Amino acid sequence: MLSRSVLRSTTTSSSGPVARRAFHTSGPRLSSPYHYPTGPRSSIPFDPLKRGFAFKYWTFCAVGFGLPFGVAVWQTYKNGGDIICVREEPQHGQDKIEIVGSVDAGITAARWSPDEELLAIATRADTILFMSRQLESITDVTMTAGDLEASHHVNVGWGKAETQFKGKRAKALRDPTMPEKIDEGLLHSLDRGQVTITWRGDGAFFAISSVHEKRRRVIRVYSRDGILDSISEPVDYLQHSLSWRPAGNLIAAVQRLEDRIDVIFFERNGLRHGQFGLRLSPEEAKTWGSDIHLEWNNDSTVLAVCFKDRVQLWTMGNYHYYLKREILVAGEQDTASSQATIAAWHPEQALHVAMLSGDHIERQEYAFAPARGSTFFPHDLGLVAVVDGANLKVTPLRLANVPPPIAFHEITADSTIMDVAINRTGSRIAVITQEGLRIYNCDWTTRSTSRSEPSQHIPNLPEKPRPEKIAFIGDSNLHWMSYGSAGPTLSRLDLSSGKDSTACLTWTLPPGIIHIFSRSDHERICTRSASGLIAEVEIGAEDLHLRETTRLPSKTPWVEVVQQEDQSIAFGLSSNGTLYANERQLLRNCTSFLVTRAHLIFTTSQHLLKFVHMTSVDQLDVPSDEPEKDERCRSIERGARLITVMPTTFSLTLQMPRGNLETIFPRALVLAGIRRSIDDKDYRTAFLACRNHRVDMNILHDHAPLQFMSETGLFVDQIKKVEHIDLFLSQLREEDVAQTMYRETLPATERRDQMQDGIDTNETTQTSSAAVQNVSKVDRICDALLGVLGTRLPSHLQNMITAHVCKIPPNLEEGLTLIGRLRQDDSALVEKAVEHICFLADSNKLYEHALGLYDLDLALLIAQQAQRDPREILPFLQRLESMEPLRKRFSIDDHLTRHAKALRYLRDLDAFDELKVYTTRHELYKDALDIYRYDDRRLNEIMSLYAEYLNSNSRHKEAGIAYEYLSQHDQAMEAYQAAGSWREALFCASQIPLEPQQLQDLTTALANALYEARDYYHAAVLQLEYQQDVQTAAATFCKGYFFADAMRVVGSKGRSDLLEEVIDPGLAEGLATSTELLAECKGQLNAQVPRLRELRAKKEEDPLAYYDAPTTTSDIPDNISLAGTEASTSGSLYTRYTSRTGTNSSLNTHTTRRTSKNRRREERKRARGKKGSVYEAEYLVNSIRRLMQRVDSVREEVERLREGLLRRGMRERALAVERAMVEVVELCRGCVEEVFGTVGREGVGDGQVGDVTGEGEDERANIGDMPVMKEFERLSLLGGE
């Protein structure tokens, strides 16, 4: 139990004689015949003037004096027992002490339940009485011989003949599961037949230990209702002591054997469940260990074993019981005749205990505290000491993570250890025992089993107070605090001078100081007072001075003081989990904490481990509970406590509730060490830390990029190993990890301080020039390393190849070129280089790149390393080798599908016909045009081929331009006509030139095509200019709502008759069409908006009905769980309409993976928006959106129609169409917020409820945008509202 190394007293002990309560009788009754209310002798019972006064007087005195003693003796020896009620604050009419009942058979034991609602009384008649809080009898139970049959302890047949192995020499074997001796429940000679009652912590059961028929001691377990639950199995020499652990799992008892005394445990069913020895010698067992009592504290962590003159406190960890404290209570009294000390734990404060022995009371408050060494670099050995009686278990966790109760080394003292202190380097350990003070010299660098040896012993002297607390300054200055009659004192001994104990110096401390401890750096001694005052001890030549550090707001049993620059910070943890930094409260749910030079480390009740950068008190930043986002927060096992931290190895040790240890390497410690090493330019240490702890190695550059780029030579010199440099290069990527996954969490002021000291931790945003910013980070690092490695080519060839391959994109050509240059110098080196580059990259790609370098020998090496089929590779390479150089290069590029490059070699070969065929085959027209841009003849041939290609691929306009470039106007005219480019087609027709009839046919075809394409304006232009058809042109203008152009043409051509024949009918037709359209839009809005409002109200009121879920649960059984499990195959209420059906989609692929057929079916349902379906609301929103877009698209047409109507004197019609348009626009503007403003809030636009096809992004694009409807501007000439 490293987290409970020492059980230290947190307050001074308080003791004194027991206060005896006076017995108050009732007041005088004046109606008695023996009292005279008035008269001269009313104050005496007899008249001295009458005869026989002397006899009556002396008889009365004798009887009055002896009667109380006689009653007391009679009460002692009679078999009955009284139940006496003592009221601390009696009310009016109540007595201070009152006998409320008697038990004729006599009372042997009694105990209240934990809730003080039930009193269990054991009598001499083997009965148990149950009384209420008002001391009214509830029931009684008789303990009979039949109770012994209540528990049927299971016997699985171990040791019986039918269960034994019958092999060779079976008779010589003994069943190891059978005990050598079976207990019969024998009584011990010291057993006086006492009865003990103990309750379970929840008050549901209690156990009673009694002697049955003077032959066997039995533990019976009863329920709160008096029902017998179980009987203990027979145990020899079982004592009367009994205590039920409040947690409820164990009942502690005492077994006194011939050679030892054990504390044994029973389960509630009466079976044995472990034990531990009390470590008493036979002489001690007969003297102060002859009477033993047991008592658990309220949180079941400490078992108090009470002897006649002392109390031992035991704790359990990893199924081992540790003796943490031995308290001498009785002093020098005769232990042979005294009874056991009585210990009582506080019902609420777990480690508050009061002890009564005779007329001596002592009250103590304790706290579990780990005894650890320094946590500051470089002395952070992780040294932890655990007290176990007279043994001190010491383990340097940095050297060996030995799980308790085993230890790396054990120190045995002369008596029980009370306190432990470790010096700064861990070379000395001082312990306080009951006999005095001992110092041990330790050496943790040797492998010898004798790692410690006692160097000095300071015994307790009668004239001097006994040491209570000890602490070290540095390595050799030992300080201890004692409590004397004059108050607390502080003593110091310099161990380096070799002086004896008489040379120590002693000073008197101010009253109220209860504890001393070393500052975290072991440079000063600190004191803590009962009021929370933390002070540092400054010792001069002759005097002592206390310099106040802070006053913690509440009582803090655990305190650490750290020196931060010129400020001392005291961190204190209270019993309720509040952590303070001086007067500032950091958090309220802390369970343990540690300090290092760089961090405050603590655990919380939410099972998180957190790190706070050590700065000034005001700037201490506690991270949030987000372990997935912040490196300073990490999840740990439930109930884990901090033991020690070792910044040198970036490790931290925790202890679990069951006692086992766990050493972890928190990312905050690892990154802090890596950053520190990079700042110190110790790249080797930083690299090894990254490799060992799986930290992204990009931090080696990203933490200080300019420093890294300037120190690449130092980086290579420190890393040295080729494999390590390759590992670094292979992990490079463009992400700046110092700004993303490893963002610096130091406060801004700390970063500024580091920058002033020459350490720029925010250097990732700095670059030497703007040009550097445009270069890839990976390429920049690889180029820098290549520049350094170029001078070390023989030994770092592998690294240079890796640098080329790791570029983005991989520069395989340079790597292969490097290998090719070395092929003639060192064949063995080339073989290794080829093997390495084939390991880094795809061998097939490498073979292709080697071919691309036209180096057939290198390609053959790559092919051999890639294990390509020689029957395929060799003939191909031989055929290439036999070709002339240009043809070989063309063949290689053609084989590698580098057609553009192969085309240039055809140009060099002057094979133009082959080039045209190759261009047509691979569609290399652009490259061919670029190659022959200065050769007009061949350029035109290539252009002609390209024009045919464009025309065949329906790229008619580009084809027309190409034909026009070649002066092929007839083909250009056809291409332009197919493209709908009427201007270009007419120009080419003029260049041919065409016959008038052909031109007329061409313009008719072009006008018809434009009319079909609803391009009425340009169709009317063609009809007017080339066909001279004014009437048709005017009608076409009116068809496109271009009434102003139509009237202009009619006027310019002198055809006023067309105003009534063409223009007015066109206006009427446009009015009818627009009015019908606007009426339909109005009706659609009036129908769809209320329906959408109704659907949303239904969804708000009853989501189950809205999503068509079952609304009744009458058929659902009440004995099954409806909670979701990992094996669930059905969708939930909201996921049944989405693709987000859980994380276990691989279990039921057929229900979650959508095929294309299912997707199309869902799209059709979604498009239909059937009424009453879940898709209806989405359909309505999209429909309203399309309506608004349509209304907005006819805005200009309605404006032109309105003006045309007004110009032709149709004012009422113009006013009507304007009103219709304004009404529809206002309806649209009024419902925009209602329809589209709640889309995001109701979940339709975020891809959840409305994401019926799992396409959340498309859904947001279709629904999430709110349309903008501008107001329709009225024409003032029409008037109206």
Side-chain angles (χ1 to χ4, degrees):
M1 291 295 286
L2 303 184
S3 61
R4 301 174 179 175
S5 301
V6 184
L7 191 61
R8 290 175 176 156
S9 173
T10 61
T11 60
T12 57
S13 61
S14 59
S15 60
V18 177
R20 306 293 185 179
R21 289 186 180 273
F23 187 88
H24 296 276
T25 59
S26 59
R29 298 176 182 177
L30 300 182
S31 61
S32 171
Y34 300 100
H35 290 80
Y36 295 89
T38 58
R41 291 174 290 276
S42 61
S43 60
I44 57 176
F46 304 104
D47 189 355
L49 302 178
K50 291 185 178 181
R51 185 186 302 176
F53 167 75
F55 175 76
K56 293 179 181 180
Y57 174 75
W58 290 110
T59 302
F60 174 80
C61 291
V63 173
F65 182 78
L67 183 61
F69 292 96
V71 172
V73 173
W74 176 67
Q75 290 285 349
T76 302
Y77 287 98
K78 77 170 186 176
N79 292 329
D82 294 335
I83 301 175
I84 302 174
C85 178
V86 180
R87 300 181 177 88
E88 294 185 358
E89 297 180 358
Q91 299 179 0
H92 180 71
Q94 291 183 341
D95 295 332
K96 186 80 173 180
I97 298 178
E98 180 182 0
I99 299 176
V100 297
S102 299
V103 179
D104 295 336
I107 299 175
T108 56
R111 190 147 188 175
W112 285 98
S113 63
D115 57 3
E116 298 182 356
E117 294 292 338
L118 196 63
L119 175 63
I121 302 175
T123 69
R124 295 183 185 276
D126 291 339
T127 61
I128 304 174
L129 303 179
F130 293 86
M131 303 189 72
S132 66
R133 185 182 182 91
Q134 291 75 27
L135 299 178
E136 297 176 355
S137 179
I138 298 177
T139 184
D140 62 281
V141 179
T142 303
M143 296 182 290
T144 64
D147 296 344
L148 303 182
E149 304 298 330
S151 294
H152 301 283
H153 301 129
V154 178
N155 187 348
V156 295
W158 295 117
K160 291 187 178 180
E162 57 269 20
T163 62
Q164 294 305 297
F165 174 66
K166 300 297 182 179
K168 186 178 180 181
R169 294 186 294 273
K171 293 183 180 180
L173 300 177
R174 184 182 67 84
D175 183 12
T177 63
M178 288 295 295
E180 296 182 1
K181 178 180 176 298
I182 300 177
D183 289 352
E184 301 177 0
L186 301 177
L187 290 176
H188 196 273
S189 59
L190 296 179
D191 196 330
R192 298 193 298 272
Q194 300 100 316
V195 178
T196 306
I197 298 176
T198 180
W199 286 83
R200 201 171 73 173
D202 59 358
F205 293 91
F206 72 91
I208 179 170
S209 176
S210 62
V211 177
H212 176 70
E213 296 180 354
K214 299 183 180 180
R215 292 186 295 106
R216 170 187 169 188
R217 179 167 287 278
V218 178
I219 299 176
R220 293 177 171 86
V221 177
Y222 288 92
S223 69
R224 188 182 182 91
D225 299 327
I227 300 174
L228 181 65
D229 185 73
S230 63
I231 295 291
S232 64
E233 63 175 281
V235 177
D236 289 343
Y237 311 127
L238 185 65
Q239 300 293 289
H240 70 281
S241 299
L242 198 66
S243 182
W244 200 325
R245 196 170 185 226
N249 59 336
L250 296 176
I251 303 173
V254 175
Q255 183 184 23
R256 188 181 294 271
L257 302 175
E258 295 181 0
D259 56 342
R260 69 181 190 275
I261 300 177
D262 292 340
V263 175
I264 61 176
F265 300 104
F266 293 91
E267 298 177 5
R268 202 192 81 187
N269 57 14
L271 295 178
R272 289 276 298 271
H273 188 91
Q275 63 188 34
F276 70 91
L278 290 179
R279 308 173 189 175
L280 302 182
S281 64
E283 182 181 354
E284 294 172 340
K286 293 178 182 179
T287 54
W288 51 266
S290 59
D291 192 7
I292 303 175
H293 289 280
L294 304 176
E295 195 69 35
W296 285 99
N297 70 332
N298 65 349
D299 66 350
S300 305
T301 56
V302 181
L303 175 63
V305 182
C306 306
F307 301 95
K308 290 187 174 182
D309 63 344
R310 67 196 67 194
V311 175
Q312 292 182 351
L313 304 181
W314 294 76
T315 63
M316 190 269 288
N318 242 15
Y319 302 99
H320 175 80
Y321 279 84
Y322 298 84
L323 174 55
K324 290 299 180 184
R325 193 80 173 184
E326 187 173 78
I327 309 165
L328 297 176
V329 181
E332 300 297 332
Q333 69 178 10
D334 185 9
T335 59
S337 60
S338 62
Q339 295 182 352
T341 302
I342 299 174
W345 293 97
H346 196 282
E348 296 179 356
Q349 301 179 17
L351 297 179
H352 287 232
V353 62
M355 294 156 286
L356 170 65
S357 178
D359 61 350
H360 184 82
I361 289 181
E362 185 171 341
R363 182 174 60 86
Q364 292 279 2
E365 178 185 0
Y366 293 95
F368 288 113
R372 65 173 70 92
S374 176
T375 58
F376 281 28
F377 176 86
H379 308 300
D380 50 341
L381 291 173
L383 200 61
V384 179
V386 182
V387 173
D388 187 11
N391 296 326
L392 185 66
K393 301 175 182 292
V394 186
T395 300
L397 292 171
R398 201 174 91 185
L399 304 180
N401 192 347
V402 181
I406 309 171
F408 187 75
H409 180 63
E410 289 194 15
I411 297 174
T412 303
D414 51 1
S415 59
T416 304
I417 297 174
M418 313 303 290
D419 199 6
V420 184
I422 304 173
N423 70 345
R424 176 168 50 192
T425 59
S427 59
R428 284 191 177 95
I429 298 178
V431 297
I432 297 177
T433 66
Q434 293 178 351
E435 303 298 330
L437 182 62
R438 286 188 176 273
I439 297 95
Y440 297 87
N441 292 332
C442 303
D443 185 7
W444 307 110
T445 60
T446 62
R447 294 183 177 271
S448 172
T449 57
S450 178
R451 296 184 176 87
S452 64
E453 56 182 11
S455 63
Q456 200 164 357
H457 177 215
I458 305 174
N460 291 335
L461 300 177
E463 65 275 8
K464 292 185 178 181
R466 186 178 66 183
E468 298 287 347
K469 307 290 190 302
I470 52 176
F472 272 101
I473 290 182
D475 293 335
S476 56
N477 286 329
L478 178 63
H479 296 71
W480 65 88
M481 186 177 71
S482 305
Y483 295 107
S485 57
T489 60
L490 180 66
S491 302
R492 183 181 70 176
L493 178 63
D494 188 359
L495 302 176
S496 61
S497 60
K499 299 179 181 179
D500 56 10
S501 60
T502 59
C504 65
L505 302 176
T506 303
W507 298 272
T508 301
L509 294 175
I513 293 179
I514 59 175
H515 186 51
I516 65 168
F517 57 95
S518 301
R519 202 169 68 183
S520 297
D521 55 2
H522 285 76
E523 294 293 337
R524 292 249 178 117
I525 292 292
C526 300
T527 65
R528 177 170 64 88
S529 65
S531 61
L533 177 64
I534 307 299
E536 294 184 359
V537 179
E538 296 179 349
I539 301 176
E542 298 180 355
D543 58 347
L544 177 144
H545 174 67
L546 295 182
R547 182 172 62 86
E548 180 178 347
T549 300
T550 185
R551 185 181 296 274
L552 297 174
S554 65
K555 187 177 181 181
T556 54
W558 302 275
V559 180
E560 292 281 353
V561 177
V562 62
Q563 185 71 18
Q564 180 65 18
E565 296 178 353
D566 56 349
Q567 179 188 17
S568 293
I569 304 177
F571 296 98
L573 176 61
S574 64
S575 300
N576 62 0
T578 304
L579 181 63
Y580 298 96
N582 290 350
E583 294 85 0
R584 179 189 171 189
Q585 175 181 308
L586 293 181
L587 70 159
R588 298 182 60 85
N589 60 346
C590 180
T591 56
S592 61
F593 77 98
L594 285 170
V595 293
T596 67
R597 199 181 302 276
H599 293 98
L600 163 67
I601 311 170
F602 59 87
T603 57
T604 69
S605 56
Q606 278 77 30
H607 326 302
L608 296 174
L609 174 68
K610 294 188 177 184
F611 293 79
V612 177
H613 292 289
M614 197 66 71
T615 59
S616 61
V617 175
D618 297 334
Q619 295 181 352
L620 292 173
D621 182 22
V622 178
S624 58
D625 298 346
E626 296 178 334
E628 66 280 356
K629 296 181 180 179
D630 198 334
E631 70 183 35
R632 299 172 297 167
C633 184
R634 169 178 174 150
S635 298
I636 57 175
E637 186 176 337
R638 179 186 297 269
R641 297 291 187 272
L642 290 169
I643 298 301
T644 189
V645 60
M646 293 150 281
T648 300
T649 56
F650 321 125
S651 58
L652 184 145
T653 303
L654 302 108
Q655 188 164 29
M656 305 304 115
R658 57 185 175 272
N660 60 307
L661 298 181
E662 180 178 343
T663 298
I664 62 176
F665 297 85
R667 188 52 54 95
L669 285 180
V670 174
L671 292 178
I674 292 173
R675 293 183 183 115
R676 184 172 58 249
S677 299
I678 295 174
D679 294 336
D680 296 338
K681 297 183 180 180
D682 187 2
Y683 286 104
R684 175 176 175 79
T685 302
F687 172 83
L688 294 177
C690 291
R691 188 187 67 164
N692 294 337
H693 301 289
R694 301 182 66 84
V695 176
D696 196 318
M697 291 190 181
N698 283 274
I699 195 175
L700 297 176
H701 167 271
D702 295 343
H703 178 66
L706 295 183
Q707 174 184 301
F708 181 88
M709 297 304 294
S710 62
E711 300 291 346
T712 51
L714 177 64
F715 175 80
V716 174
D717 291 337
Q718 291 183 354
I719 302 300
K720 291 182 181 178
K721 286 190 176 181
V722 175
E723 296 81 3
H724 291 175
I725 299 176
D726 276 354
L727 180 61
F728 168 73
L729 289 169
S730 63
Q731 292 192 9
L732 290 177
R733 63 174 190 267
E734 293 297 329
E735 179 186 358
D736 187 354
V737 297
Q739 295 297 321
T740 55
M741 59 192 307
Y742 302 140
R743 178 182 290 274
E744 179 61 77
T745 55
L746 271 174
T749 55
E750 291 293 320
R751 290 198 293 269
R752 284 196 297 269
D753 293 342
Q754 292 187 2
M755 293 172 63
Q756 292 174 1
D757 295 337
I759 303 173
D760 189 359
T761 59
N762 198 23
E763 203 179 13
T764 55
T765 59
Q766 301 179 10
T767 52
S768 57
S769 64
V772 176
Q773 295 180 356
N774 298 326
V775 179
S776 167
K777 181 190 85 172
V778 177
D779 294 348
R780 189 167 64 251
I781 296 174
C782 291
D783 291 338
L785 290 176
L786 285 171
V788 174
L789 298 172
T791 59
R792 314 175 190 188
L793 191 57
S795 60
H796 289 279
L797 173 63
Q798 178 175 319
N799 296 142
M800 296 187 68
I801 295 174
T802 305
H804 285 300
V805 175
C806 289
K807 287 185 177 182
I808 300 177
N811 193 352
L812 301 180
E813 289 83 358
E814 289 295 331
L816 291 171
T817 304
L818 178 62
I819 296 175
R821 289 201 301 265
L822 297 176
R823 189 171 64 247
Q824 299 177 355
D825 299 336
D826 191 345
S827 59
L829 190 62
V830 171
E831 288 289 339
K832 292 182 180 180
V834 171
E835 180 180 356
H836 180 65
I837 198 172
C838 289
F839 169 76
L840 294 177
D842 185 3
S843 57
N844 295 322
K845 292 184 178 180
L846 287 172
Y847 172 72
E848 294 176 358
H849 281 83
L851 278 178
L853 294 175
Y854 315 113
D855 191 339
L856 300 183
D857 295 336
L858 181 60
L860 181 61
L861 286 175
I862 299 296
Q864 291 174 350
Q865 184 64 36
Q867 298 182 355
R868 299 286 294 267
D869 188 0
R871 292 175 297 180
E872 174 187 355
I873 299 300
L874 288 179
F876 174 70
L877 295 179
Q878 291 172 356
R879 186 170 65 254
L880 292 176
E881 187 67 29
S882 63
M883 297 179 182
E884 59 180 357
L886 290 177
R887 178 59 65 175
K888 177 177 68 175
R889 295 195 174 193
F890 166 75
S891 300
I892 290 174
D893 290 334
D894 182 58
H895 173 75
L896 298 177
T897 66
R898 299 190 300 191
H899 303 300
K901 194 172 182 180
L903 193 68
R904 297 185 178 275
Y905 287 116
L906 285 177
R907 190 271 311 271
D908 296 339
L909 289 170
D910 198 19
F912 185 69
D913 294 336
E914 184 179 357
L915 184 145
K916 290 194 296 183
V917 175
Y918 196 79
T919 300
T920 305
R921 182 189 307 156
H922 299 292
E923 300 177 1
L924 302 173
Y925 302 102
K926 296 180 182 178
D927 298 286
L929 291 174
D930 183 64
I931 290 175
Y932 290 106
R933 62 183 178 274
Y934 301 119
D935 190 341
D936 294 337
R937 183 180 63 83
R938 294 181 176 180
L939 178 64
N940 291 336
E941 294 186 28
I942 298 298
M943 183 68 74
S944 179
L945 294 175
Y946 192 23
E948 294 176 2
Y949 167 78
L950 293 173
N951 204 19
S952 64
N953 285 274
S954 301
R955 297 167 62 180
H956 300 293
K957 186 169 184 177
E958 294 181 62
I961 295 173
Y963 284 127
E964 192 173 0
Y965 173 81
L966 297 172
S967 299
Q968 299 177 9
H969 297 290
D970 52 346
Q971 296 179 356
M973 182 189 67
E974 295 176 358
Y976 283 136
Q977 183 179 358
S981 301
W982 61 275
R983 298 179 183 86
E984 292 82 356
L986 291 175
F987 172 77
C988 291
S990 65
Q991 297 298 314
I992 294 178
L994 291 178
E995 295 293 334
Q997 184 59 36
Q998 293 177 342
L999 182 61
Q1000 185 71 17
D1001 295 339
L1002 176 63
T1003 56
T1004 301
L1006 291 173
N1008 292 336
L1010 292 173
Y1011 193 91
E1012 293 290 335
R1014 301 178 67 87
D1015 189 357
Y1016 300 112
Y1017 186 87
H1018 294 108
V1021 170
L1022 282 175
Q1023 293 169 351
L1024 179 65
E1025 294 184 2
Y1026 289 89
Q1027 297 180 355
Q1028 305 301 322
D1029 189 350
V1030 177
Q1031 184 175 358
T1032 304
T1036 305
F1037 275 127
C1038 291
K1039 187 68 175 178
Y1041 288 80
F1042 298 102
F1043 300 104
D1045 291 281
M1047 286 186 281
R1048 176 184 61 81
V1049 170
V1050 169
S1052 63
K1053 299 299 182 180
R1055 297 290 304 274
S1056 302
D1057 58 315
L1058 297 179
L1059 290 174
E1060 295 181 358
E1061 295 179 8
V1062 177
I1063 304 299
D1064 291 346
L1067 287 171
E1069 183 182 356
L1071 176 62
T1073 304
S1074 300
T1075 304
E1076 183 181 359
L1077 173 64
L1078 294 175
E1080 290 178 358
C1081 292
K1082 179 181 177 181
Q1084 182 178 345
L1085 284 173
N1086 290 331
Q1088 290 183 342
V1089 172
R1091 176 58 181 170
L1092 183 62
R1093 188 183 303 120
E1094 178 185 352
L1095 290 175
R1096 288 174 175 172
K1098 181 180 178 181
K1099 175 186 175 183
E1100 187 73 20
E1101 295 173 0
D1102 190 359
L1104 292 176
Y1106 179 79
Y1107 290 106
D1108 197 20
T1111 57
T1112 178
T1113 58
S1114 59
D1115 296 333
I1116 299 178
D1118 58 358
N1119 59 347
I1120 64 173
S1121 173
L1122 299 181
T1125 64
E1126 291 298 326
S1128 176
T1129 59
S1130 62
S1132 66
L1133 171 62
Y1134 293 98
T1135 59
R1136 70 178 63 182
Y1137 298 112
T1138 69
S1139 62
R1140 298 169 177 84
T1141 55
T1143 59
N1144 56 337
S1145 59
S1146 60
L1147 298 178
N1148 45 5
T1149 307
H1150 65 281
T1151 62
T1152 59
R1153 183 176 299 164
R1154 298 179 180 219
T1155 63
S1156 59
K1157 182 178 179 180
N1158 292 337
R1159 189 179 296 109
R1160 288 193 299 270
R1161 183 186 299 115
E1162 293 293 336
E1163 286 293 342
R1164 288 195 296 269
K1165 290 181 180 179
R1166 180 180 181 182
R1168 286 195 301 268
K1170 183 178 178 181
K1171 186 174 182 179
S1173 68
V1174 72
Y1175 309 99
E1176 184 182 2
E1178 178 189 355
Y1179 173 80
L1180 292 176
V1181 172
N1182 285 328
S1183 178
I1184 296 172
R1185 176 187 298 280
R1186 290 191 296 269
L1187 182 146
M1188 293 182 180
Q1189 293 172 352
R1190 176 59 177 155
V1191 171
D1192 197 57
S1193 67
V1194 301
R1195 182 187 297 267
E1196 293 183 0
E1197 295 180 0
V1198 173
E1199 289 178 350
R1200 294 197 297 267
L1201 175 63
R1202 178 186 59 181
E1203 294 171 359
L1205 290 170
L1206 188 58
R1207 290 176 64 185
R1208 291 298 298 159
M1210 305 176 189
R1211 184 179 182 281
E1212 294 299 326
R1213 294 182 181 183
L1215 182 59
V1217 72
E1218 183 185 68
R1219 286 177 177 175
M1221 185 65 182
V1222 169
E1223 186 177 2
V1224 173
V1225 170
E1226 291 302 323
L1227 283 176
C1228 293
R1229 286 167 57 84
C1231 68
V1232 166
E1233 181 64 28
E1234 180 183 1
V1235 174
F1236 301 96
T1238 59
V1239 170
R1241 295 194 294 271
E1242 70 180 4
V1244 178
D1246 57 1
Q1248 295 295 325
V1249 176
D1251 189 9
V1252 296
T1253 62
E1255 300 174 357
E1257 296 299 330
D1258 295 341
E1259 187 69 22
R1260 286 189 290 271
N1262 293 335
I1263 295 182
D1265 299 333
M1266 182 181 297
V1268 178
M1269 289 294 294
K1270 296 181 180 179
E1271 183 180 1
F1272 187 75
E1273 186 177 355
R1274 296 174 179 268
L1275 193 61
S1276 61
L1277 295 175
L1278 293 175
E1281 297 294 333

